[in-house]
Amino acid sequence: MTVLAAGCSGFGHSTASPPDTGSTLVRTWVDAGHDGVLAPGPGEPLLSRTDLASRSKLVRPLATFAQVTDAHVTDEESPARVEMLDRLGPPFTSAFRPQEALSPFVLAAIVQSVDQVHPQAVFETGDLIDNAQQNEMTQATTILNGGRVDPDSGAPGYAGVQVETNADPLIYRPAVDAPRYPRLLAEAELPFNSPGLNAPWYPLPGNHDLEVQGNVPATTATNAVAVGSQKLLTVDRSTLTAGRGATLDQRLVNRLLAHGLPGESESVPADPSRRELSPSEAVAALRAASGHGGSGPLMDDVVDLGPSLRALLLDTTSRRAGASGVLRRSQVAWLRTQLAAAGGRWLLVFSSTPLTETAGGDGARTLLAGDAHVLAAIAGDVHRNSITPVRTSAGGYWAITTSSLADYPQQARAFRAWSTASGGVALETWMLDADPGSRLATVSRRLAWLDFQGGRPNGWPGTPSDRNAILFR
């Protein structure tokens, strides 16, 4: 268990806008001309949500904290990437993003915005990296802890599918396609310094942290591709036929790779730092970098945010093939014990995946519904902003999800908990954009806005009431 100092290092009352440059209370980004160009727009105010309790005066701050989720820091030059699968349609989606080379810079710029809030803790709720590779983990954790980050892999300079000579119409090439950024890929491979978070961070693993492409744990065959010198460009029809309808697991992947890459390939610079991590290795790396994350095979944890507020962390990521979340019976029993041990503290429950979309999650939801001190259940994974009241006989709680840094709107979420004059509690929450001083993060936001598979067409920014709100309880 971790115990943090109580109180709020930020602001004395809820109506003051935080001075952080990434705060959406101060500024948002809008496409006023409907031409794909984002420009600064007015801030979004905090909306009072009284679905679970009446509005009451905020009298004492309990804690300030933040959530960063689904950063998907990506080695976009890796031969283990399978961008060509996007053309097959669902379920093969987002294997390529036009902004993916900029993922380290987005995370670093979000760190700058989060630091301006002066949180007591930052909860990282999964998919910190994209393809379970060692070099991705090194980059991402260095960004969070602070230090020199080298986003390049293989030979010096960019060597990936976005080169201007690639004739594949699926792929955005920034040097020649609109919107044009001729030197973008060269800039994306240059080392940079990250300031690091000014607060402790508490990780939960996601499927992309533990599994290749977020789907299967690494095998000898998949690792050979990742560290090797051949990249698959097209997939043989016979391979697609063999895989159609089959269960995606390690045995299927090994069978498809038994005779080498199943399709046309090209030579690329090899890099041993692209080694794929096993689930246990990824968990160990997250614990070593953060200094937190519980013990044993799962990363369930307890964090006290002062004497009146406690966070419970549930690791709902499967160690087997598949992207779906799972909550084990042992974890439901652990949660029951922790709820009983919390006493009169208000409770936050963080999970890698929303409990409503997690196998075995019903048991946890039943426990939360019966506890009058549960304030919110907060998750990542789904890449969208949402705030939903969950009404129960014990008073209810707020179910909250937060957008990814990989897809539009590329936001993190800040929180401040307050005691209220009525004896209840309120949770302020507002979205954080990447620090606007980062040019590459700004370009990434625009490309994410234009991505036809991304957050804009899917409605992932949510409504205003899913973003900046005061949640009374």
Side-chain angles (χ1 to χ4, degrees):
M1 177 189 295
T2 302
V3 180
L4 301 175
C8 169
S9 57
F11 313 97
H13 55 91
S14 66
T15 56
S17 294
D20 49 303
T21 54
S23 171
T24 60
L25 296 172
V26 177
R27 167 174 42 199
T28 58
W29 295 89
V30 296
D31 183 3
H34 304 288
D35 56 3
V37 178
L38 295 173
E44 290 188 339
L46 293 166
L47 302 178
S48 291
R49 296 283 304 268
T50 56
D51 311 62
L52 299 179
S54 299
R55 184 170 181 168
S56 181
K57 182 180 179 181
L58 309 182
V59 296
R60 182 172 64 89
L62 303 178
T64 301
F65 54 99
Q67 179 197 13
V68 174
T69 193
D70 298 275
H72 288 267
V73 170
T74 301
D75 176 8
E76 78 288 352
E77 300 176 277
S78 173
R81 297 191 60 73
V82 285
E83 299 91 347
M84 85 294 292
L85 293 182
D86 268 1
R87 61 171 37 86
L88 302 179
F92 302 106
T93 59
S94 297
F96 169 75
R97 294 179 173 93
Q99 68 276 10
E100 60 187 20
L102 307 177
S103 58
F105 300 90
V106 174
L107 179 58
I110 282 289
V111 164
Q112 290 179 279
S113 293
V114 169
D115 281 349
Q116 292 294 328
V117 178
H118 304 294
Q120 294 161 238
V122 177
F123 297 93
E124 188 278 305
T125 51
D127 286 354
L128 180 62
I129 61 177
D130 192 65
N131 197 41
Q133 291 183 194
Q134 176 65 63
N135 62 333
E136 293 177 340
M137 184 67 76
T138 298
Q139 290 180 46
T141 55
T142 302
I143 291 169
L144 295 181
N145 287 334
R148 188 72 165 169
V149 181
D150 186 357
D152 202 3
S153 69
Y158 179 82
V161 297
Q162 291 184 272
V163 293
E164 59 188 275
T165 55
N166 185 359
D168 187 343
L170 174 75
I171 303 299
Y172 164 70
R173 304 161 302 169
V176 293
D177 297 330
R180 290 187 65 234
Y181 296 101
R183 288 194 48 78
L184 183 67
L185 298 177
E187 293 179 58
E189 304 310 318
L190 296 176
F192 66 94
N193 291 315
S194 170
L197 291 167
N198 60 17
W201 58 281
Y202 300 88
L204 284 170
N207 57 302
H208 283 264
D209 300 317
L210 307 187
E211 299 174 331
V212 178
Q213 294 288 308
N215 289 302
V216 293
T219 70
T220 300
T222 63
N223 187 63
V225 175
V227 301
S229 60
Q230 291 294 311
K231 178 178 175 60
L232 189 65
L233 299 178
T234 61
V235 181
D236 289 341
R237 181 168 297 181
S238 60
T239 300
L240 293 174
T241 300
R244 186 171 291 118
T247 299
L248 181 58
D249 57 19
Q250 289 175 307
R251 288 179 297 178
L252 175 63
V253 171
N254 287 337
R255 179 160 60 88
L256 296 179
L257 294 177
H259 303 290
L261 294 177
E264 180 186 355
S265 65
E266 67 176 359
S267 295
V268 297
D271 190 338
S273 74
R274 291 170 173 152
R275 183 180 71 87
E276 294 173 340
L277 301 172
S278 69
S280 61
E281 288 176 324
V283 166
L286 290 169
R287 284 178 174 151
S290 67
H292 304 287
S295 61
L298 301 177
M299 299 189 75
D300 299 340
D301 205 356
V302 180
V303 180
D304 276 343
L305 298 166
S308 303
L309 186 66
R310 174 172 288 182
L312 306 178
L313 280 66
L314 289 172
D315 174 352
T316 59
T317 297
S318 174
R319 272 45 172 184
R320 300 180 179 180
S324 300
V326 58
L327 193 70
R328 299 86 176 164
R329 291 182 181 179
S330 61
Q331 291 178 281
V332 176
W334 178 86
L335 178 61
R336 181 182 293 108
T337 299
Q338 294 302 326
L339 292 175
R345 295 178 182 88
W346 291 103
L347 293 167
L348 307 165
V349 178
F350 289 88
S351 55
S352 311
T353 56
L355 295 175
T356 53
E357 301 181 28
T358 299
D362 287 349
R365 293 167 60 204
T366 298
L367 291 176
L368 301 188
D371 193 306
H373 289 93
V374 176
L375 173 57
I378 303 167
D381 186 61
V382 292
H383 291 213
R384 65 175 179 266
N385 292 325
S386 68
I387 301 175
T388 305
V390 180
R391 296 175 175 85
T392 72
S393 59
Y397 59 91
W398 296 94
I400 300 170
T401 65
T402 298
S403 65
S404 74
L405 303 188
D407 295 307
Y408 189 81
Q410 298 188 320
Q411 293 174 326
R413 189 182 283 276
F415 296 87
R416 184 168 295 126
W418 294 79
S419 62
T420 64
S422 64
V425 67
L427 187 62
E428 285 183 324
T429 181
W430 64 98
M431 307 314 300
L432 300 174
D433 286 321
D435 188 291
S438 171
R439 174 180 174 272
L440 294 185
T442 300
V443 172
S444 179
R445 184 189 301 111
R446 183 186 182 190
L447 296 180
W449 169 254
L450 296 173
D451 183 8
F452 76 97
Q453 295 185 117
R456 176 179 53 85
N458 287 301
W460 289 339
T463 66
S465 62
D466 291 317
R467 295 190 290 265
N468 298 354
I470 307 176
L471 312 175
F472 289 95
R473 169 69 171 79

